[in-house]
Amino acid sequence: MDNLESYYQSRFAARTQRIQASTIREILKLTTQPGFISFAGGLPAADLFPIERIAEATQRILQAHGAQALQYSTTEGYLPLREWVAGRMPGATPEHVQIVSGSQQGLDLIGKVFIDPGSKVLVEAPTYLGALSAFNPYEPEYISVGMDEEGLQLDELEAALKAHHFKFMYVLPTFQNPSGRLMGLERRKAIVELARKYQTPILEDDAYAELYFSGKPLPTLYALDQELGGGNVVYLSTSSKTLAPGLRVAWVVGPKPVIQKIVYAKQGADLHTPTLNQMLVYELVRDGEWFQAQIGKIRHTYQTRRTWMLEALQKYMPEDIGWIVPEGGMFFWLTAPAQLDSLELLKQAVEEKMAFVPGQPFYADGSGKNTLRLSYSSASHEQIAEGIKRLGRAVHKMLGREPVV
Ligand SMILES: Cc1ncc(COP(=O)(O)O)c(C=O)c1O
């Protein structure tokens, strides 16, 4: 075995050519240096993880369920948890619910059961990078549809739906990762209607559903589709943003034939999501009062951090850098003048000891070079003020201008 590289190269599946190291992970490696400020990783705030509550609940579960909590269990998932999820989704019963090991696994399994090489998948531009990584090994052809302030542009969407046969369209209507956009009610209704008109299933990724800062939550695409008869939306959500991402407990809710296929795919992937973790999530969410208070803390903390970041951006960014002010979720999305390449900007920012995620990897069509994502969820006031100041310096340098400070 002299040259392991070539020994294995001739054996790897062709699809591995489409699996590449993610830009996010490469950047995260740099940010461990002392004094570095990173807004790159989309990490939920660790200071809000309910550690004591989890410790107590684990004790209670082990006392009540004993070895059953540590035994193999059904692929579909822990029934009380599936019942709880179904109770939140109009028209759903536990048979419509599959528990998955993170919504990331949900994306992979959906890719596995829907996508053949060359299958067309409609995506937003930009879209969640992790979904592209999950779908890529199944070799889809992406058709990207542009967005305005409210989300997918309807005329462009309709033209795409008319022109192609899609396996599904992947949509993130609520505080989209990466752009933070919230799709309004009228847009939601129009998209659900168009999808039904052109018989294109919607995959709705709702990871940030609970993280709104004010107002009332808007109905999910799943709920709106249900009002029209149902059956055209596969819905994904997770406990990662409200409890703790390390638990890896999430759910897919969808029409029975889709859930059935996902069950078989999951059997081959990991048999089931860890039994103890599913019981734990159920034990935490079933106390509605506590769970609402926990979500309330997260909303308040993220809103405060969002406002700090907004103030810093207003102070340190030149006028021709634009952003969407997020009303929930974890991200600011910045758009720079066309000549500013955010990958080049990142190199400059790293010299200033700060990091963000360049926007281009979030575009399946390779556009978005002048965009970038900043995460505020895990940062302190000091880090935000200093980090955005450093970004401001890098931006001014790249644009050949004098920085504000
Ligand atoms: C839009 C979106 N979907 C899915 C995920 C994956 O979440 P998890 O696998 O932790 O449920 C994330 C994580 O950041 C996300 O932002």
Side-chain angles (χ1 to χ4, degrees):
M1 308 297 148
D2 287 344
N3 188 339
L4 287 176
E5 195 68 39
S6 63
Y7 181 72
Y8 284 107
Q9 208 54 50
S10 61
R11 288 171 173 80
F12 286 140
R15 79 178 73 87
T16 60
Q17 309 261 329
R18 295 187 52 145
I19 307 174
Q20 280 159 12
S22 99
T23 315
I24 298 181
R25 288 198 183 283
E26 292 304 307
I27 296 162
L28 283 177
K29 282 186 202 156
L30 298 171
T31 60
T32 52
Q33 299 165 21
F36 214 98
I37 298 174
S38 174
F39 306 128
L43 297 182
D47 47 332
L48 299 175
F49 293 163
I51 297 174
E52 274 176 30
R53 189 91 184 180
I54 288 177
E56 283 163 22
T58 306
Q59 281 294 336
R60 270 201 307 277
I61 290 164
L62 290 173
Q63 270 157 14
H65 299 279
Q68 199 200 334
L70 303 170
Q71 185 56 282
Y72 284 122
S73 54
T74 59
T75 302
E76 289 84 345
Y78 183 50
L79 185 58
L81 182 60
R82 290 165 64 216
E83 284 168 346
W84 177 81
V85 172
R88 295 154 62 88
M89 307 297 294
T93 67
E95 288 77 52
H96 298 99
V97 180
Q98 167 67 55
I99 304 298
V100 284
S101 302
S103 29
Q104 194 62 37
Q105 183 186 48
L107 292 167
D108 175 49
L109 297 176
I110 287 163
K112 197 177 239 174
V113 305
F114 279 99
I115 303 172
D116 289 316
S119 295
K120 287 184 181 158
V121 172
L122 188 151
V123 292
E124 297 172 321
T127 188
Y128 171 51
L129 172 58
L132 299 178
S133 311
F135 300 152
N136 281 346
Y138 304 108
E139 305 180 36
E141 183 190 328
Y142 297 112
I143 305 289
S144 295
V145 172
M147 298 169 92
D148 58 27
E149 289 282 303
E150 287 253 326
L152 280 171
Q153 279 173 1
L154 291 178
D155 45 356
E156 225 185 286
L157 174 64
E158 182 154 20
L161 291 172
K162 225 183 237 175
H164 304 279
H165 173 79
F166 291 105
K167 289 298 183 96
F168 59 85
M169 55 194 266
Y170 174 61
V171 186
L172 301 105
T174 307
F175 313 128
Q176 196 222 37
N177 181 1
S179 72
R181 282 186 185 91
L182 176 66
M183 191 186 283
L185 181 59
E186 290 314 311
R187 188 69 61 95
R188 286 173 190 242
K189 286 183 179 164
I191 285 173
V192 167
E193 279 168 19
L194 276 178
R196 291 182 75 89
K197 180 173 169 193
Y198 291 98
Q199 304 214 333
T200 303
I202 294 175
L203 172 56
E204 177 180 20
D205 187 345
D206 208 18
Y208 300 93
E210 303 284 357
L211 305 188
Y212 49 90
F213 300 151
S214 58
K216 273 193 1 200
L218 291 169
T220 58
L221 303 185
Y222 184 93
L224 294 171
D225 180 64
Q226 207 62 34
E227 284 173 17
L228 302 178
N232 201 42
V233 177
V234 178
Y235 176 90
L236 253 176
S237 194
T238 179
S239 67
S240 291
K241 316 294 174 186
T242 52
L243 296 174
L247 294 172
R248 311 307 300 135
V249 176
W251 42 90
V252 183
V253 185
K256 285 183 192 169
V258 177
I259 296 298
Q260 197 49 256
K261 285 279 186 217
I262 293 176
V263 173
Y264 296 144
K266 186 170 163 73
Q267 269 166 5
D270 65 350
L271 298 179
H272 63 81
T273 295
T275 318
L276 178 59
N277 294 16
Q278 295 188 65
M279 289 177 166
L280 197 45
V281 167
Y282 175 65
E283 188 65 18
L284 295 177
V285 298
R286 79 194 190 116
D287 181 346
E289 207 173 305
W290 175 84
F291 187 46
Q292 282 312 311
Q294 163 71 8
I295 295 171
K297 269 190 229 165
I298 299 175
R299 283 185 195 136
H300 176 73
T301 304
Y302 289 2
Q303 182 174 19
T304 305
R305 292 175 184 177
R306 183 280 317 259
T307 303
W308 290 336
M309 191 168 271
L310 176 62
E311 286 165 1
L313 288 168
Q314 286 166 339
K315 187 163 171 192
Y316 296 115
M317 287 298 138
E319 272 186 3
D320 44 3
I321 302 282
W323 53 78
I324 295 168
V325 180
E327 290 304 322
M330 300 177 9
F331 307 108
F332 260 100
W333 182 247
L334 270 55
T335 304
Q339 80 269 21
L340 197 153
D341 179 338
S342 60
L343 247 183
E344 292 304 312
L345 176 65
L346 179 63
K347 291 177 196 158
Q348 187 67 46
V350 164
E351 280 184 26
E352 302 276 352
K353 290 201 162 186
M354 79 78 66
F356 56 83
V357 187
Q360 195 183 8
F362 295 94
Y363 287 82
D365 62 4
S367 62
K369 273 198 170 139
N370 58 331
T371 58
L372 61 101
R373 191 192 77 178
L374 300 168
S375 164
Y376 49 80
S377 48
S378 287
S380 67
H381 192 190
E382 207 186 343
Q383 285 167 330
I384 288 176
E386 178 59 28
I388 298 297
K389 187 172 168 181
R390 293 178 190 178
L391 177 63
R393 274 204 298 267
V395 167
H396 281 86
K397 254 185 215 161
M398 293 288 294
L399 292 172
R401 304 198 196 135
E402 282 297 308
V404 186
V405 275

